[in-house]
Coordinates of all heavy atoms in Angstrom, one line a residue:
M1 N -9.2 6.8 -13.6 CA -8.9 6.9 -12.2 C -9.5 5.7 -11.4 O -10.5 5.2 -11.7 CB -9.5 8.2 -11.6 CG -8.9 9.4 -12.1 SD -9.5 11.0 -11.4 CE -8.6 11.0 -9.9
A2 N -8.7 5.3 -10.5 CA -9.1 4.1 -9.6 C -9.5 4.6 -8.3 O -9.0 5.6 -7.8 CB -7.9 3.1 -9.5
K3 N -10.4 3.9 -7.7 CA -10.8 4.1 -6.3 C -10.0 3.2 -5.4 O -9.9 2.0 -5.7 CB -12.3 3.9 -6.0 CG -13.1 5.1 -6.6 CD -14.5 5.0 -6.2 CE -15.2 6.2 -6.8 NZ -16.7 6.1 -6.6
I4 N -9.4 3.7 -4.3 CA -8.6 2.9 -3.4 C -9.2 3.2 -2.0 O -9.5 4.4 -1.6 CB -7.2 3.3 -3.4 CG1 -6.6 3.1 -4.8 CG2 -6.4 2.6 -2.3 CD1 -5.1 3.6 -4.9
T5 N -9.4 2.2 -1.2 CA -9.9 2.3 0.2 C -8.7 2.0 1.1 O -8.1 1.0 1.1 CB -11.0 1.3 0.5 OG1 -12.1 1.5 -0.5 CG2 -11.5 1.4 1.9
F6 N -8.4 3.0 1.9 CA -7.4 2.9 3.0 C -8.2 2.7 4.3 O -9.1 3.4 4.7 CB -6.6 4.2 3.1 CG -5.8 4.5 1.9 CD1 -6.2 5.4 0.9 CD2 -4.5 3.9 1.8 CE1 -5.4 5.6 -0.2 CE2 -3.7 4.2 0.6 CZ -4.2 5.0 -0.3
V7 N -7.8 1.6 5.0 CA -8.4 1.3 6.3 C -7.5 1.7 7.4 O -6.3 1.2 7.4 CB -8.8 -0.2 6.4 CG1 -9.4 -0.6 7.7 CG2 -9.7 -0.7 5.2
N8 N -7.9 2.6 8.2 CA -7.0 3.1 9.3 C -7.0 2.1 10.4 O -7.7 1.1 10.5 CB -7.6 4.4 9.8 CG -7.5 5.5 8.7 OD1 -6.4 5.8 8.2 ND2 -8.6 6.1 8.4
R9 N -6.0 2.3 11.3 CA -5.8 1.4 12.5 C -7.1 1.3 13.3 O -7.3 0.3 14.0 CB -4.6 1.9 13.3 CG -3.3 1.7 12.6 CD -2.1 2.1 13.4 NE -0.9 2.0 12.6 CZ -0.4 2.9 11.8 NH1 -0.9 4.1 11.8 NH2 0.7 2.7 11.1
D10 N -7.9 2.3 13.4 CA -9.1 2.3 14.2 C -10.3 1.7 13.5 O -11.4 1.6 14.0 CB -9.5 3.7 14.7 CG -9.9 4.7 13.6 OD1 -9.9 4.2 12.4 OD2 -10.1 5.8 13.9
G11 N -10.0 1.2 12.2 CA -11.1 0.6 11.4 C -11.9 1.5 10.5 O -12.6 1.1 9.7
S12 N -11.7 2.8 10.7 CA -12.3 3.7 9.8 C -11.7 3.6 8.4 O -10.6 3.2 8.3 CB -12.2 5.2 10.4 OG -10.9 5.6 10.4
E13 N -12.5 4.0 7.4 CA -12.1 3.9 6.1 C -12.1 5.2 5.4 O -12.9 6.1 5.6 CB -13.0 2.9 5.3 CG -13.0 1.5 5.8 CD -13.8 0.6 5.0 OE1 -14.4 1.0 4.0 OE2 -13.9 -0.6 5.4
K14 N -11.1 5.4 4.4 CA -11.1 6.6 3.6 C -11.0 6.1 2.1 O -10.1 5.4 1.8 CB -9.9 7.4 3.9 CG -9.7 8.7 3.1 CD -8.5 9.5 3.4 CE -8.8 10.4 4.6 NZ -7.8 11.4 4.8
V15 N -12.0 6.4 1.3 CA -12.1 6.0 -0.1 C -11.6 7.2 -0.9 O -12.2 8.3 -0.7 CB -13.5 5.5 -0.5 CG1 -13.5 5.2 -2.0 CG2 -13.9 4.4 0.4
V16 N -10.6 7.0 -1.7 CA -10.1 8.2 -2.5 C -10.0 7.8 -4.0 O -10.0 6.6 -4.3 CB -8.7 8.6 -2.0 CG1 -8.8 9.1 -0.6 CG2 -7.7 7.6 -2.2
E17 N -10.1 8.8 -4.9 CA -9.8 8.5 -6.3 C -8.4 8.8 -6.6 O -7.8 9.8 -6.1 CB -10.8 9.4 -7.1 CG -12.2 9.0 -7.1 CD -13.0 9.5 -8.2 OE1 -12.5 10.3 -9.0 OE2 -14.2 9.2 -8.2
A18 N -7.7 7.9 -7.3 CA -6.3 8.1 -7.6 C -6.0 8.1 -9.1 O -6.6 7.4 -9.8 CB -5.6 6.8 -7.0
R19 N -5.1 9.0 -9.4 CA -4.7 9.2 -10.8 C -3.8 8.0 -11.2 O -2.9 7.6 -10.5 CB -4.0 10.5 -11.0 CG -4.9 11.7 -10.9 CD -4.2 13.0 -11.4 NE -2.7 13.0 -11.3 CZ -2.0 13.6 -10.3 NH1 -2.7 14.2 -9.3 NH2 -0.7 13.6 -10.3
D20 N -4.0 7.6 -12.4 CA -3.1 6.5 -13.0 C -1.7 7.0 -13.0 O -1.4 8.2 -13.2 CB -3.5 6.2 -14.4 CG -4.8 5.4 -14.5 OD1 -5.4 5.1 -13.5 OD2 -5.2 5.1 -15.7
G21 N -0.8 6.0 -12.7 CA 0.7 6.3 -12.8 C 1.3 6.7 -11.4 O 2.5 6.5 -11.2
L22 N 0.5 7.1 -10.5 CA 1.0 7.4 -9.2 C 1.2 6.1 -8.4 O 0.6 5.1 -8.8 CB 0.0 8.3 -8.4 CG -0.2 9.7 -8.8 CD1 -1.3 10.4 -7.9 CD2 1.1 10.5 -8.8
S23 N 2.0 6.1 -7.4 CA 2.1 5.0 -6.5 C 1.0 5.1 -5.5 O 0.5 6.2 -5.2 CB 3.5 4.9 -5.8 OG 3.6 5.9 -4.9
V24 N 0.6 3.9 -4.9 CA -0.4 4.0 -3.8 C 0.2 4.8 -2.6 O -0.6 5.5 -1.9 CB -0.8 2.5 -3.4 CG1 -1.6 2.5 -2.2 CG2 -1.5 1.8 -4.6
M25 N 1.5 4.8 -2.4 CA 2.1 5.6 -1.4 C 1.9 7.1 -1.6 O 1.5 7.8 -0.7 CB 3.6 5.3 -1.3 CG 4.4 6.2 -0.3 SD 6.1 6.4 -0.7 CE 6.0 7.5 -2.1
E26 N 2.1 7.5 -2.9 CA 1.8 8.9 -3.2 C 0.4 9.3 -3.0 O 0.1 10.4 -2.4 CB 2.2 9.2 -4.6 CG 3.7 9.1 -4.9 CD 4.1 9.1 -6.3 OE1 3.5 8.4 -7.1 OE2 5.0 9.9 -6.7
V27 N -0.5 8.4 -3.3 CA -2.0 8.6 -3.1 C -2.3 8.8 -1.6 O -3.0 9.6 -1.2 CB -2.8 7.5 -3.8 CG1 -4.3 7.7 -3.4 CG2 -2.6 7.5 -5.3
A28 N -1.7 7.9 -0.8 CA -1.9 7.9 0.6 C -1.4 9.3 1.2 O -2.1 9.9 2.0 CB -1.1 6.8 1.3
I29 N -0.2 9.7 0.8 CA 0.3 10.9 1.3 C -0.5 12.1 0.9 O -0.9 13.0 1.7 CB 1.8 11.1 0.8 CG1 2.7 10.1 1.5 CG2 2.3 12.6 1.1 CD1 4.1 10.0 0.9
D30 N -1.0 12.1 -0.4 CA -1.8 13.2 -0.9 C -3.1 13.3 -0.2 O -3.8 14.3 -0.2 CB -2.0 13.1 -2.4 CG -0.8 13.3 -3.2 OD1 0.2 13.9 -2.7 OD2 -0.8 13.0 -4.4
N31 N -3.6 12.2 0.4 CA -4.9 12.1 1.1 C -4.8 12.0 2.6 O -5.7 11.5 3.3 CB -5.7 11.0 0.5 CG -6.1 11.4 -0.9 OD1 -7.1 12.1 -1.1 ND2 -5.4 10.9 -1.9
D32 N -3.6 12.4 3.2 CA -3.4 12.4 4.6 C -3.6 11.1 5.3 O -4.1 11.1 6.4 CB -4.3 13.5 5.3 CG -4.0 14.9 4.7 OD1 -2.8 15.2 4.6 OD2 -4.9 15.7 4.4
V33 N -3.2 10.0 4.7 CA -3.2 8.7 5.3 C -2.0 8.6 6.2 O -0.9 9.1 5.8 CB -3.3 7.6 4.3 CG1 -3.2 6.2 4.9 CG2 -4.6 7.7 3.5
D34 N -2.1 8.1 7.3 CA -1.0 8.1 8.3 C 0.1 7.1 8.0 O 0.3 6.1 8.7 CB -1.6 7.8 9.7 CG -0.6 8.0 10.8 OD1 0.4 8.7 10.6 OD2 -0.8 7.4 11.9
I35 N 0.9 7.4 7.0 CA 2.1 6.6 6.7 C 3.3 7.6 6.7 O 3.2 8.8 6.4 CB 2.1 5.8 5.4 CG1 2.0 6.7 4.2 CG2 1.0 4.8 5.4 CD1 2.2 6.0 2.9
E36 N 4.5 7.0 7.0 CA 5.7 7.9 7.1 C 6.3 8.1 5.7 O 6.7 9.2 5.3 CB 6.7 7.3 8.0 CG 7.9 8.2 8.3 CD 8.9 7.6 9.3 OE1 8.5 6.7 10.1 OE2 10.0 8.1 9.3
A37 N 6.5 7.0 5.0 CA 7.2 7.1 3.7 C 8.5 7.8 3.7 O 8.7 8.7 2.9 CB 6.2 7.7 2.6
A38 N 9.3 7.4 4.6 CA 10.6 8.1 4.9 C 11.5 8.3 3.7 O 12.2 9.3 3.5 CB 11.3 7.5 6.0
C39 N 11.6 7.2 2.8 CA 12.5 7.3 1.7 C 11.9 7.9 0.5 O 12.5 7.9 -0.6 CB 13.1 5.9 1.4 SG 12.0 4.8 0.6
E40 N 10.6 8.3 0.6 CA 9.9 8.9 -0.5 C 9.7 8.1 -1.7 O 9.7 8.5 -2.9 CB 10.5 10.3 -0.9 CG 10.5 11.2 0.3 CD 11.2 12.6 0.0 OE1 11.9 12.7 -1.0 OE2 11.0 13.5 0.8
G41 N 9.7 6.7 -1.5 CA 9.4 5.8 -2.6 C 10.7 5.3 -3.3 O 10.6 4.7 -4.4
S42 N 11.8 5.4 -2.7 CA 13.1 5.0 -3.4 C 13.4 3.5 -3.0 O 14.5 3.1 -3.3 CB 14.2 5.9 -3.0 OG 14.5 5.8 -1.6
L43 N 12.5 2.8 -2.4 CA 12.7 1.4 -2.0 C 13.9 1.2 -1.1 O 14.7 0.3 -1.2 CB 12.8 0.5 -3.2 CG 12.6 -1.0 -3.0 CD1 11.3 -1.3 -2.3 CD2 12.6 -1.7 -4.4
A44 N 14.0 2.2 -0.1 CA 15.1 2.1 0.8 C 14.7 2.0 2.3 O 15.5 2.1 3.2 CB 16.0 3.4 0.7
C45 N 13.4 1.8 2.5 CA 12.8 1.6 3.9 C 11.6 0.8 3.7 O 11.2 0.3 2.7 CB 12.6 2.9 4.5 SG 11.2 3.9 3.9
A46 N 10.9 0.6 4.8 CA 9.6 -0.1 4.8 C 8.5 0.7 5.5 O 7.5 0.2 5.9 CB 9.8 -1.4 5.6
T47 N 8.6 2.0 5.5 CA 7.7 2.9 6.3 C 6.4 3.2 5.5 O 5.5 3.8 6.0 CB 8.3 4.2 6.7 OG1 8.8 4.9 5.6 CG2 9.5 3.9 7.7
C48 N 6.3 2.7 4.3 CA 5.1 2.8 3.5 C 4.3 1.5 3.5 O 3.4 1.3 2.7 CB 5.3 3.3 2.1 SG 6.1 2.2 1.0
H49 N 4.7 0.5 4.3 CA 4.2 -0.8 4.4 C 2.7 -0.7 4.7 O 2.3 0.0 5.6 CB 4.9 -1.6 5.5 CG 4.2 -2.8 6.0 ND1 3.9 -3.0 7.3 CD2 3.7 -3.9 5.3 CE1 3.3 -4.1 7.5 NE2 3.1 -4.7 6.3
M50 N 1.9 -1.5 4.0 CA 0.4 -1.6 4.3 C 0.1 -3.1 4.0 O 0.8 -3.8 3.3 CB -0.4 -0.7 3.4 CG -0.3 0.7 3.9 SD -1.7 1.7 3.1 CE -1.2 3.3 3.6
V51 N -1.0 -3.5 4.5 CA -1.5 -4.8 4.3 C -2.6 -4.8 3.3 O -3.6 -4.1 3.4 CB -2.1 -5.4 5.6 CG1 -2.6 -6.8 5.4 CG2 -1.0 -5.4 6.7
V52 N -2.4 -5.5 2.2 CA -3.4 -5.6 1.1 C -4.5 -6.6 1.5 O -4.2 -7.7 2.0 CB -2.6 -6.0 -0.2 CG1 -3.7 -6.2 -1.4 CG2 -1.6 -5.0 -0.6
D53 N -5.7 -6.2 1.2 CA -6.8 -7.1 1.4 C -6.5 -8.4 0.7 O -6.1 -8.4 -0.5 CB -8.1 -6.4 0.8 CG -9.3 -7.2 1.1 OD1 -9.6 -8.2 0.4 OD2 -10.1 -6.9 2.1
P54 N -6.8 -9.5 1.3 CA -6.5 -10.8 0.7 C -7.1 -11.1 -0.7 O -6.5 -11.7 -1.5 CB -7.0 -11.9 1.7 CG -6.9 -11.2 3.0 CD -7.2 -9.7 2.7
D55 N -8.3 -10.5 -0.9 CA -9.0 -10.6 -2.2 C -8.2 -9.9 -3.3 O -8.4 -10.2 -4.5 CB -10.4 -10.1 -2.1 CG -11.3 -10.9 -1.2 OD1 -11.0 -12.1 -1.0 OD2 -12.3 -10.4 -0.8
W56 N -7.4 -9.0 -2.9 CA -6.6 -8.2 -3.9 C -5.2 -8.6 -4.1 O -4.6 -8.3 -5.1 CB -6.6 -6.7 -3.5 CG -7.9 -6.0 -4.0 CD1 -9.0 -5.8 -3.3 CD2 -8.1 -5.6 -5.3 NE1 -9.9 -5.2 -4.2 CE2 -9.4 -5.0 -5.4 CE3 -7.2 -5.5 -6.5 CZ2 -9.9 -4.5 -6.6 CZ3 -7.7 -4.9 -7.6 CH2 -9.1 -4.4 -7.7
Y57 N -4.6 -9.3 -3.1 CA -3.2 -9.5 -3.1 C -2.7 -10.3 -4.4 O -1.7 -9.9 -5.0 CB -2.8 -10.3 -1.9 CG -1.3 -10.5 -1.8 CD1 -0.5 -9.5 -1.3 CD2 -0.7 -11.7 -2.2 CE1 0.9 -9.6 -1.2 CE2 0.7 -11.8 -2.1 CZ 1.5 -10.8 -1.6 OH 2.8 -10.9 -1.6
E58 N -3.4 -11.3 -4.8 CA -3.0 -12.1 -6.0 C -3.3 -11.3 -7.3 O -2.7 -11.7 -8.3 CB -3.7 -13.4 -6.0 CG -3.3 -14.3 -4.8 CD -1.8 -14.7 -4.8 OE1 -1.2 -14.8 -5.9 OE2 -1.3 -14.8 -3.7
K59 N -4.1 -10.3 -7.2 CA -4.4 -9.5 -8.5 C -3.3 -8.6 -8.8 O -3.2 -8.1 -9.9 CB -5.7 -8.8 -8.3 CG -6.9 -9.7 -8.1 CD -8.2 -9.0 -7.9 CE -9.3 -9.9 -7.6 NZ -10.5 -9.2 -7.3
L60 N -2.4 -8.3 -7.8 CA -1.3 -7.3 -8.0 C -0.1 -8.0 -8.6 O 0.0 -9.2 -8.5 CB -0.9 -6.7 -6.7 CG -2.0 -5.9 -5.9 CD1 -1.5 -5.4 -4.6 CD2 -2.5 -4.7 -6.8
D61 N 0.7 -7.3 -9.3 CA 2.0 -7.8 -9.7 C 2.7 -8.3 -8.5 O 2.7 -7.6 -7.4 CB 2.8 -6.8 -10.5 CG 2.3 -6.4 -11.8 OD1 1.5 -7.2 -12.4 OD2 2.5 -5.3 -12.3
P62 N 3.5 -9.4 -8.6 CA 4.2 -9.9 -7.4 C 5.3 -8.9 -7.0 O 5.8 -8.2 -7.8 CB 4.7 -11.2 -7.8 CG 4.8 -11.2 -9.3 CD 3.7 -10.2 -9.7
P63 N 5.6 -8.9 -5.7 CA 6.7 -8.0 -5.2 C 8.1 -8.5 -5.8 O 8.3 -9.7 -6.0 CB 6.7 -8.2 -3.7 CG 6.0 -9.5 -3.4 CD 5.0 -9.7 -4.6
S64 N 8.9 -7.5 -6.0 CA 10.3 -7.8 -6.5 C 11.1 -8.4 -5.4 O 10.7 -8.3 -4.2 CB 10.9 -6.6 -7.1 OG 11.1 -5.6 -6.0
E65 N 12.2 -8.9 -5.7 CA 13.1 -9.4 -4.6 C 13.6 -8.3 -3.7 O 13.7 -8.4 -2.5 CB 14.4 -10.1 -5.3 CG 15.3 -10.7 -4.3 CD 16.4 -11.5 -4.9 OE1 16.2 -12.1 -6.0 OE2 17.5 -11.5 -4.4
E66 N 13.8 -7.1 -4.3 CA 14.2 -5.9 -3.5 C 13.1 -5.5 -2.5 O 13.3 -5.2 -1.4 CB 14.6 -4.7 -4.4 CG 15.8 -4.9 -5.2 CD 15.5 -5.7 -6.6 OE1 14.4 -6.0 -6.9 OE2 16.5 -5.9 -7.3
E67 N 11.8 -5.6 -3.0 CA 10.7 -5.2 -2.1 C 10.6 -6.2 -1.0 O 10.4 -5.9 0.2 CB 9.4 -5.2 -2.9 CG 8.2 -4.8 -2.0 CD 6.9 -4.7 -2.7 OE1 6.9 -4.8 -4.0 OE2 5.9 -4.6 -2.0
E68 N 10.8 -7.5 -1.3 CA 10.7 -8.6 -0.3 C 11.8 -8.4 0.8 O 11.5 -8.6 1.9 CB 10.8 -9.9 -0.9 CG 9.5 -10.3 -1.7 CD 9.6 -11.7 -2.3 OE1 10.7 -12.2 -2.5 OE2 8.5 -12.2 -2.7
D69 N 13.0 -7.9 0.3 CA 14.1 -7.7 1.3 C 13.7 -6.5 2.2 O 13.9 -6.6 3.4 CB 15.4 -7.3 0.5 CG 16.0 -8.5 -0.1 OD1 15.6 -9.7 0.2 OD2 16.9 -8.3 -1.0
M70 N 13.1 -5.5 1.7 CA 12.7 -4.4 2.5 C 11.5 -4.7 3.4 O 11.5 -4.3 4.6 CB 12.3 -3.1 1.7 CG 13.4 -2.4 1.1 SD 14.4 -1.5 2.4 CE 15.9 -2.4 2.2
L71 N 10.6 -5.5 2.9 CA 9.5 -6.0 3.8 C 9.9 -6.7 5.0 O 9.3 -6.7 6.1 CB 8.5 -6.8 3.0 CG 7.5 -6.1 2.1 CD1 6.8 -7.0 1.1 CD2 6.5 -5.3 2.9
D72 N 11.1 -7.4 4.9 CA 11.6 -8.1 6.1 C 11.9 -7.1 7.3 O 12.0 -7.6 8.4 CB 12.9 -8.8 5.8 CG 12.7 -10.1 4.9 OD1 11.6 -10.6 4.8 OD2 13.7 -10.5 4.2
L73 N 12.0 -5.8 7.0 CA 12.2 -4.8 8.0 C 10.9 -4.2 8.6 O 11.0 -3.4 9.5 CB 13.1 -3.7 7.5 CG 14.4 -4.2 6.8 CD1 15.1 -3.0 6.2 CD2 15.3 -4.8 7.9
A74 N 9.8 -4.6 8.0 CA 8.5 -3.9 8.4 C 8.0 -4.5 9.7 O 8.1 -5.7 9.9 CB 7.5 -4.1 7.2
F75 N 7.3 -3.6 10.4 CA 6.6 -4.0 11.6 C 5.2 -4.5 11.2 O 4.6 -4.0 10.3 CB 6.5 -2.9 12.6 CG 7.8 -2.5 13.2 CD1 8.5 -1.3 12.7 CD2 8.4 -3.2 14.2 CE1 9.7 -1.0 13.3 CE2 9.6 -2.8 14.7 CZ 10.3 -1.7 14.3
G76 N 4.7 -5.5 11.9 CA 3.4 -6.0 11.6 C 3.2 -6.7 10.3 O 2.1 -6.7 9.7
L77 N 4.3 -7.3 9.9 CA 4.3 -8.0 8.6 C 3.3 -9.1 8.5 O 3.1 -9.9 9.5 CB 5.7 -8.6 8.3 CG 6.0 -9.1 6.9 CD1 6.0 -7.9 6.0 CD2 7.4 -9.7 6.9
T78 N 2.6 -9.2 7.4 CA 1.6 -10.3 7.2 C 1.8 -11.0 5.8 O 2.7 -10.5 5.1 CB 0.1 -9.8 7.2 OG1 -0.1 -9.1 6.0 CG2 -0.2 -8.9 8.4
R79 N 1.1 -12.0 5.6 CA 1.3 -12.7 4.3 C 0.9 -11.8 3.1 O 1.4 -12.0 2.0 CB 0.3 -14.0 4.3 CG 0.5 -14.8 3.1 CD -0.5 -16.0 3.1 NE -1.9 -15.6 3.0 CZ -2.5 -15.1 1.9 NH1 -1.9 -15.0 0.8 NH2 -3.8 -14.8 2.0
T80 N 0.1 -10.8 3.3 CA -0.3 -9.9 2.2 C 0.3 -8.5 2.3 O -0.3 -7.6 1.8 CB -1.9 -9.9 2.1 OG1 -2.4 -9.3 3.3 CG2 -2.5 -11.2 1.8
S81 N 1.4 -8.4 3.0 CA 2.0 -7.1 3.2 C 2.7 -6.7 1.9 O 3.3 -7.5 1.2 CB 3.1 -7.2 4.3 OG 2.5 -7.2 5.6
R82 N 2.6 -5.4 1.6 CA 3.3 -4.8 0.5 C 3.8 -3.4 0.8 O 3.3 -2.8 1.7 CB 2.4 -4.7 -0.8 CG 1.9 -5.9 -1.4 CD 3.0 -6.7 -2.1 NE 3.8 -6.0 -3.1 CZ 3.4 -5.9 -4.4 NH1 2.4 -6.6 -4.8 NH2 4.2 -5.2 -5.2
L83 N 4.8 -3.0 0.1 CA 5.3 -1.6 0.2 C 4.5 -0.8 -0.8 O 4.5 -1.1 -2.0 CB 6.8 -1.5 -0.1 CG 7.7 -2.2 0.9 CD1 9.1 -2.0 0.5 CD2 7.4 -1.8 2.3
T84 N 3.7 0.2 -0.4 CA 2.8 0.9 -1.3 C 3.5 1.7 -2.3 O 2.9 2.1 -3.3 CB 1.8 1.7 -0.5 OG1 2.5 2.6 0.4 CG2 0.9 0.9 0.3
C85 N 4.8 2.0 -2.1 CA 5.6 2.7 -3.1 C 5.8 1.9 -4.4 O 6.1 2.4 -5.4 CB 6.9 3.2 -2.6 SG 8.1 1.9 -2.2
Q86 N 5.6 0.6 -4.3 CA 5.8 -0.3 -5.4 C 4.5 -0.8 -6.1 O 4.6 -1.6 -7.0 CB 6.5 -1.6 -4.9 CG 7.9 -1.3 -4.3 CD 8.8 -0.6 -5.3 OE1 9.1 -1.2 -6.3 NE2 9.2 0.6 -5.0
I87 N 3.4 -0.2 -5.7 CA 2.1 -0.5 -6.4 C 1.7 0.7 -7.1 O 1.5 1.8 -6.6 CB 1.0 -0.9 -5.3 CG1 1.5 -2.1 -4.5 CG2 -0.3 -1.2 -6.0 CD1 0.5 -2.4 -3.3
R88 N 1.6 0.5 -8.4 CA 1.2 1.7 -9.3 C -0.3 1.7 -9.6 O -0.9 0.6 -9.7 CB 1.9 1.5 -10.7 CG 3.4 1.8 -10.6 CD 3.6 3.3 -10.5 NE 4.9 3.6 -10.0 CZ 5.3 4.7 -9.4 NH1 4.5 5.6 -9.2 NH2 6.5 4.8 -8.9
V89 N -0.9 2.9 -9.6 CA -2.3 3.0 -9.8 C -2.6 2.9 -11.3 O -1.9 3.4 -12.1 CB -2.8 4.4 -9.3 CG1 -4.2 4.6 -9.7 CG2 -2.5 4.6 -7.9
S90 N -3.6 2.1 -11.6 CA -4.1 1.9 -12.9 C -5.6 1.4 -12.8 O -6.0 1.1 -11.7 CB -3.3 0.8 -13.7 OG -3.5 -0.5 -13.2
A91 N -6.2 1.3 -13.9 CA -7.6 0.8 -13.9 C -7.7 -0.6 -13.3 O -8.7 -1.0 -12.7 CB -8.2 0.9 -15.3
A92 N -6.6 -1.3 -13.4 CA -6.6 -2.7 -13.0 C -6.7 -2.8 -11.4 O -7.1 -3.9 -10.9 CB -5.3 -3.4 -13.4
I93 N -6.4 -1.8 -10.7 CA -6.5 -1.8 -9.2 C -7.7 -1.0 -8.7 O -7.8 -0.8 -7.5 CB -5.2 -1.4 -8.5 CG1 -4.9 0.1 -8.7 CG2 -4.0 -2.3 -9.0 CD1 -3.9 0.6 -7.7
D94 N -8.6 -0.7 -9.6 CA -9.8 0.0 -9.1 C -10.6 -0.8 -8.1 O -10.9 -2.0 -8.4 CB -10.7 0.3 -10.3 CG -11.9 1.1 -10.0 OD1 -11.8 2.0 -9.1 OD2 -13.0 0.9 -10.5
G95 N -10.7 -0.3 -6.9 CA -11.4 -1.0 -5.8 C -10.4 -1.6 -4.8 O -10.8 -2.2 -3.8
L96 N -9.1 -1.4 -5.0 CA -8.1 -1.9 -4.1 C -8.4 -1.5 -2.6 O -8.8 -0.3 -2.4 CB -6.7 -1.4 -4.5 CG -5.5 -1.8 -3.6 CD1 -5.3 -3.3 -3.7 CD2 -4.3 -1.0 -4.0
R97 N -8.2 -2.4 -1.7 CA -8.3 -2.1 -0.3 C -7.0 -2.4 0.4 O -6.5 -3.5 0.2 CB -9.4 -3.0 0.4 CG -10.8 -2.6 -0.1 CD -11.8 -3.5 0.6 NE -11.8 -3.5 2.0 CZ -12.4 -2.6 2.8 NH1 -13.1 -1.6 2.3 NH2 -12.3 -2.7 4.1
V98 N -6.5 -1.5 1.1 CA -5.2 -1.7 1.9 C -5.5 -1.2 3.3 O -6.2 -0.2 3.6 CB -4.0 -0.9 1.3 CG1 -3.6 -1.6 0.0 CG2 -4.3 0.5 1.1
R99 N -4.8 -1.8 4.3 CA -5.0 -1.5 5.7 C -3.6 -1.1 6.3 O -2.6 -1.7 6.0 CB -5.5 -2.7 6.4 CG -5.7 -2.6 7.9 CD -6.3 -3.9 8.5 NE -5.6 -5.1 8.2 CZ -4.6 -5.6 8.8 NH1 -4.0 -4.9 9.7 NH2 -4.1 -6.8 8.4
L100 N -3.6 -0.1 7.1 CA -2.5 0.3 7.9 C -2.1 -0.8 8.8 O -3.0 -1.4 9.5 CB -2.7 1.6 8.6 CG -2.7 2.8 7.7 CD1 -3.4 4.0 8.5 CD2 -1.3 3.2 7.3
P101 N -0.9 -1.2 8.9 CA -0.5 -2.3 9.9 C -0.7 -1.9 11.3 O -0.6 -0.7 11.6 CB 0.9 -2.6 9.5 CG 1.5 -1.3 9.0 CD 0.3 -0.7 8.3
E102 N -0.8 -2.8 12.2 CA -0.9 -2.5 13.6 C 0.5 -2.0 14.0 O 1.5 -2.4 13.5 CB -1.2 -3.8 14.4 CG -2.6 -4.4 14.1 CD -3.7 -3.4 14.4 OE1 -3.6 -2.7 15.5 OE2 -4.7 -3.3 13.7
E103 N 0.5 -1.1 15.0 CA 1.8 -0.5 15.4 C 2.5 -1.5 16.3 O 1.9 -2.3 17.0 CB 1.6 0.8 16.1 CG 1.1 1.8 15.1 CD 1.2 3.2 15.6 OE1 2.3 3.8 15.5 OE2 0.2 3.7 16.1

């Protein structure tokens, strides 16, 4: 299991343990993090967009072209923005920090 830190818009943090194989989006939903995830992980929207801590961004697999296309629709886009439905939990991401984008 990996630990993931979700940083809320108000700066408060929620640290959760996540089962391998889930997406970060699923972990967020299961732990009442304030994301919409309208397409339920089918890569058809950008409502699970979060900002990855810069120290973690390069450690993740790069976004696919499809993810980059969807990210173009996201509000509050940054250089380290990702769709959390596309990040899979594994031991390799233990300690990951992601922040909800500004509205």
Side-chain angles (χ1 to χ4, degrees):
M1 291 182 84
K3 285 190 179 174
I4 300 173
T5 301
F6 294 96
V7 181
N8 295 303
R9 289 179 184 94
D10 65 3
S12 64
E13 297 183 1
K14 181 180 275 193
V15 179
V16 301
E17 289 196 359
R19 289 191 333 262
D20 287 358
L22 293 177
S23 69
V24 173
M25 177 205 72
E26 291 169 311
V27 174
I29 291 168
D30 289 348
N31 288 280
D32 299 318
V33 174
D34 187 24
I35 63 169
E36 186 176 342
C39 75
E40 300 177 348
S42 64
L43 196 54
C45 73
T47 59
C48 70
H49 162 234
M50 288 192 185
V51 179
V52 175
D53 184 280
D55 292 338
W56 274 97
Y57 187 79
E58 295 298 327
K59 296 176 185 177
L60 301 174
D61 290 334
S64 66
E65 187 174 325
E66 293 85 2
E67 180 181 352
E68 287 179 345
D69 289 345
M70 282 293 115
L71 278 168
D72 288 340
L73 305 173
F75 293 102
L77 193 65
T78 73
R79 185 185 64 75
T80 63
S81 288
R82 291 293 304 269
L83 298 181
T84 56
C85 67
Q86 298 301 298
I87 304 171
R88 290 282 160 204
V89 175
S90 71
I93 69 162
D94 185 35
L96 177 69
R97 290 179 58 86
V98 292
R99 174 178 53 82
L100 288 160
E102 297 298 322
E103 291 192 88

